[in-house]
Amino acid sequence: MSWIPFKIGQPKKQIVSKTVERDFEREYDKLQKLEDQTKKLHKDMKKSTEADLAMSKAAVKISADLLSNPLCEQDQAFLDSMTALDTAMRRMDSFNQEKVNQIQKTVIDPLKKYSGVFPSLNMAVKRREQALQDYKRLQSKAEKYEEKEKTGPVMVKLHQAREELRPVREDFEAKNKQLLDEMPKFYYSRIDYFQPSFEALIRAQVVYFTEMYNIFSELTDQIDQAGLTDEQRERETEAKLSELRALSIVADD
Amino acid sequence: MEVPRRPRPSSCMLALQQAAAKDPRSSALREENDHDEGDPFGEETFGGDEELDGSLDGSVETSELAGMNATLSSRGSCSEESSTSAEEEAAEAKKKREEEEAAAKERAAQRQMLAIEELVHSERNYLRLLRLSSGTIRNNLQKLQPPPADLDSVFLDIEDVIDVSSRLLGLLDQKLVQPGDPRFLETLCESFLGLSSDIEAAYKEYLANYNQVTVVENSYKQKEALWNDVVRVIKTSAPEVNATSLSFFLVMPVQRIARYPLLLQTIQKHTEKTHPAYALLERTAHTSIALNYRINEYKRFREVADKYKKTETLTIKDKIYRLNTHSIAKKTARFGQHIRHETGMAPKLVDEEFDALEGFFYVLEHGILELLENVETYLYHLQGFLSCRTEEFDLDMDGEKAPICYKEITTALRQWILPTFEKRMRTLIRKPLGALRDLLVGPRNLIRKRLDKLLDYELIEAKSNLSYEEQDVANTYRTMNTLLLNELPQFTGVALQMIWSVLGTFSCLHRDLAADMEQLFQSFAQQLPHSSMERGAFREWAESAVLEGARRLETLCRSVEHTLNGPVVQPLSPSSRRRLKQLTDKHGSGKIYQVVGSVVGSRDLDLNLARGELVAIISEADTRGDKRRWLVDAGGPRGYAPSSKLIRYHQPTEDPPPSPQLTLPDGVTETRRHSYTPESQPMTVMSQPCFQVLAAYDFTATGNHEVSVRAGEPVRVLEPRDKRGNPEWSLVEARGGARGYVPSNYLAIAPRPPHH
């Protein structure tokens, strides 16, 4: 079209007031921070549960390997102890698995879902920005014609510029309003959304540690020497090591 | 925020901001330039920029600036007004940034102050409730007839805790510094550090004896009448607090000591490293953790000492010491086979007893090495767990109970409870096993040496007359053999005992870990809304709550996508306009659709389409009748596209619409044409005083009945339809009085300019 020699940038009148723009940016900043933190928490929780599972499996391996070693079979008391240890470890592992499953369902999956909303939101903000740019451009263009001498061709072009502008302006205003509405709402929704997750997370651990206490109290009574402090244990261990070191076969000549 | 992710307002603005940011000199330069220019750039004076180049020195900044100015004016985006307002905007942008930084600092300072106040305020509240329980409640309980048993033991240690807490607050009040004052933080930390040994002493005893409190309270609960009285007393003594048990108050110290680390760490989080009290704050936070560590250790120490003072069952200990590997070994001849396979050599002299002992030794060795490796793996994963600090998130939910409780629990778990466990694992399990493994070397080597000697010995054994060397060999072998026979059983026996006790310790460590966590959880039991629910019921609630949340999220997502990611409303590029015209001409404007998102074809005859592209619909289903796959014309190529990605395109009136056929009076039926989309208005040609009618496009008459008009030419409408009543043609009077028909859709209404 011959009446557009070059692209026009800034319109004369301010399309979006500074306060509104600042509010918009502030809300969006909050959402971006929320996005970062949810992603981080999701990642940390995943890593944490992986380590948790690995730890439990390692504990089971400790007792399983020992039990399968012929060492155990030689003395009934020792065998009973090792069997009890193995049983305890396996039970703990299954409780741990249950705990992790609960956490996966009530914490990790919801975290991921929540993060999944942000790409759409970010895209919507981009689109609003694009719409704003188009709006500004067409607004400028229309303003150009408003200032010119009102000849026939100018009037026609002005009219057409306004026609072009209208849908774009409406589009921007709709997008802008929607986002200004939705962003705070979404930000606020995090509270109700995550409340059950945290409660479930705590509860899962309470259940797990309660089981752990029951299982290991019983086991400890069965296989551990009663009434030893840490220092006493260390001293006993040291005594045994000294006994071994005193043997001639141990000293490597 | 150095690199913003969101789109920047306008690249012109950005360029100017960058210019402003680069160097204050460049903005000064720009000011100079404007001065020099006199008549700054506008649409007409593109050439003015060359003057710029000449007037400036060849410095990098200025050439950049000139380049930038050239770009700016070639874009024409800076008209005369905006060049000065550009500086204003740049300066304003800078000011805005500074303001924002200041605001952010202000907010951080606010948060820090809130965190400090939280600590102090909660301490005061805590102290108040403790005093209430140990004073009013206790007195009222004592007045009950009969007074509850062991009441004194329940309140035994609380006085020390009350004392140390009031001293802490006292120190703060004494200094007469307000929380807003930066010195307050310093005072707080110093007071805490100063009192830390007293805090440790008081809480140590309290926590060590806390189990007793629970025991006594449970005994009260057994007697219904007594318990009802107790609850009544509590409710009347403290009506504003929602408490239904003694432990509500008495568990508070357990919780409080565990809370200091999180409170202090929160303050630390919002404190600048440059703050004068930062180092002190850090030290205080560390101290609070160390306190918890030591208090826990003491608690355990006392547990063991108290509980097991009256121990009778030493049977396990007996069993360990009775372990007689000598007798064990004798039973198992198959260990002999084991050696033969390993060494590949078969000594002629088979000493069954020795073989068995040796075999047992190898089995033991294998067991120890495997155990050590497994323990190391366990510790490795434990460290992995400790390193993902899930308590360090900030979802801006610090006012909510559940996340805060989770943070406190996890802080406790990761910062002292698990570290204690790890330390004990290393000291009491890993280290002894490592030392034991190291001691295996000696016997192993000796056994190998013995075998060598045995082989030598076999060669000379039968001889009657031995040389000195040969006697020597024989003696060496016999000594070694005897030594090993005597000491190996001892070795394996003690080693086994060690393994057994290490495993017992392993179990004990787990029990202690669980006990620590249980005590921690007790202090939160009252705070969480659903904590009284049964396991199964709670799980159901949690899972359904999560599902509900997911559903709401989905609704939100859909609404965002629907409204905001709608069709692209954009004026068309020239090529798009051509495509539009082409398609409209061929198929009619009712069939024009726009592609909402880029389409990549997967099957034969599928098209690849870009977002925003215009296509015309040929068929709303494919050859198999699938309505999700539409046959479209993309301005040449034809093929299939998913209907979900197509949306009706409504054209603004830009192109000259196709002119209707002029109907000749002799009865040729007119063909109806779609000249407008339904959305656009038909031209209502009315002669209102404030409007005038213009020809919007050039029109050249093609017959006697028509008149030529030029675009922009005002016309007077005589009749808005032709002789047959067809509204597609209007009878107008053009400039110069010429009359004739023009297509109605070539006319436009415009406001009449004022001077007409």
Side-chain angles (χ1 to χ4, degrees), chain A residues 6-241:
Chain A
F6 43 77
K7 282 199 190 158
I8 304 167
Q10 299 306 316
K12 303 288 162 55
K13 58 174 197 218
Q14 189 64 280
I15 287 182
V16 181
S17 79
K18 286 206 166 71
T19 9
V20 170
E21 193 63 37
R22 198 168 301 177
D23 284 344
F24 190 91
E25 277 181 34
R26 196 179 41 233
E27 286 301 316
Y28 190 50
D29 283 350
K30 276 178 20 190
L31 282 174
Q32 284 183 310
K33 176 160 177 231
L34 185 62
E35 180 179 5
D36 287 340
Q37 291 292 313
T38 17
K39 286 211 175 95
K40 176 181 188 297
L41 183 59
H42 179 246
K43 198 175 86 160
D44 286 341
M45 292 253 41
K46 267 182 74 177
K47 260 180 70 183
S48 159
T49 40
E50 277 166 19
D52 198 344
L53 282 171
M55 228 166 88
S56 197
K57 296 277 179 263
V60 169
K61 189 161 195 288
I62 286 175
S63 60
D65 282 349
L66 269 176
L67 201 56
S68 66
N69 189 307
L71 269 179
C72 286
E73 299 160 22
Q74 306 319 312
D75 180 87
Q76 192 57 43
F78 194 63
L79 180 63
D80 290 343
S81 298
M82 290 305 111
T83 313
L85 179 69
D86 190 54
T87 311
M89 288 305 174
R90 286 178 198 280
R91 285 180 69 199
M92 271 327 300
D93 189 44
S94 85
F95 280 118
N96 197 44
Q97 189 66 58
E98 241 180 74
K99 174 186 86 177
V100 165
N101 289 345
Q102 257 303 84
I103 292 179
Q104 183 73 36
K105 250 194 287 192
T106 54
V107 183
I108 297 183
D109 288 342
L111 269 170
K112 183 152 185 223
K113 277 212 182 79
Y114 202 78
S115 296
V117 175
F118 290 103
S120 309
L121 213 56
N122 289 333
M123 180 66 69
V125 170
K126 263 203 201 116
R127 293 258 171 86
R128 171 202 174 265
E129 189 56 39
Q130 280 171 4
L132 182 59
Q133 291 319 306
D134 289 338
Y135 180 15
K136 282 185 176 170
R137 187 165 46 86
L138 293 181
Q139 175 81 5
S140 271
K141 186 168 130 186
E143 280 170 0
K144 271 231 141 351
Y145 286 106
E146 266 165 24
E147 283 160 10
K148 282 193 161 171
E149 206 189 300
K150 305 263 187 268
T151 64
V154 170
M155 293 307 299
V156 171
K157 286 165 189 172
L158 172 63
H159 179 68
Q160 287 187 335
R162 290 206 183 122
E163 283 298 306
E164 237 181 320
L165 172 64
R166 190 164 37 88
V168 172
R169 179 186 61 229
E170 283 168 4
D171 181 53
F172 167 74
E173 279 168 0
K175 287 184 158 77
N176 193 47
K177 178 171 188 303
Q178 179 89 1
L179 275 172
L180 280 174
D181 271 344
E182 298 286 351
M183 289 201 295
K185 263 194 243 159
F186 180 67
Y187 189 75
Y188 187 78
S189 78
R190 79 199 181 290
I191 296 180
D192 284 340
Y193 185 83
F194 285 119
Q195 186 86 9
S197 299
F198 284 115
E199 277 197 64
L201 195 47
I202 296 172
R203 191 60 182 272
Q205 293 190 64
V206 170
V207 167
Y208 174 72
F209 282 109
T210 310
E211 292 299 337
M212 190 192 267
Y213 182 75
N214 293 338
I215 291 176
F216 282 103
S217 304
E218 210 185 298
L219 182 68
T220 308
D221 286 343
Q222 202 182 342
I223 75 171
D224 190 33
Q225 283 173 252
L228 288 182
T229 62
D230 283 8
E231 282 86 4
Q232 284 172 321
R233 284 184 206 267
E234 282 188 82
R235 265 184 267 132
E236 278 205 13
T237 312
E238 201 47 48
K240 290 207 181 75
L241 285 169

Side-chain angles (χ1 to χ4, degrees), chain B residues 469-584:
Chain B
E469 295 111 6
E470 288 167 340
Q471 271 181 25
D472 214 18
V473 164
N475 286 335
T476 316
Y477 164 73
R478 283 195 210 102
T479 321
M480 263 192 197
N481 197 49
T482 316
L483 187 63
L484 281 167
L485 273 175
N486 287 338
E487 293 196 338
L488 262 182
Q490 261 188 288
F491 184 91
T492 50
V494 175
L496 259 186
Q497 285 168 14
M498 269 187 75
I499 293 175
W500 196 337
S501 61
V502 151
L503 292 169
T505 309
F506 189 60
S507 170
C508 175
L509 294 190
H510 275 86
R511 183 202 58 190
D512 291 347
L513 169 65
D516 286 349
M517 289 305 286
E518 286 229 293
Q519 188 178 60
L520 185 68
F521 286 133
Q522 271 183 13
S523 58
F524 292 103
Q526 320 255 0
Q527 293 184 41
L528 294 172
H530 300 93
S531 57
S532 51
M533 276 176 127
E534 286 300 312
R535 265 189 218 186
F538 179 86
R539 191 183 314 196
E540 271 175 38
W541 168 80
E543 286 176 12
S544 69
V546 160
L547 276 170
E548 175 66 26
R551 203 185 46 81
R552 270 191 244 125
L553 202 64
E554 185 132 345
T555 320
L556 177 81
C557 217
R558 258 186 275 128
S559 88
V560 166
E561 296 222 352
H562 181 259
T563 316
L564 293 161
N565 295 343
V568 180
V569 179
Q570 263 179 356
L572 299 176
S573 64
S575 58
S576 292
R577 264 196 284 271
R578 274 197 296 277
R579 167 87 70 90
L580 177 63
K581 178 169 185 347
Q582 177 193 18
L583 292 175
T584 315

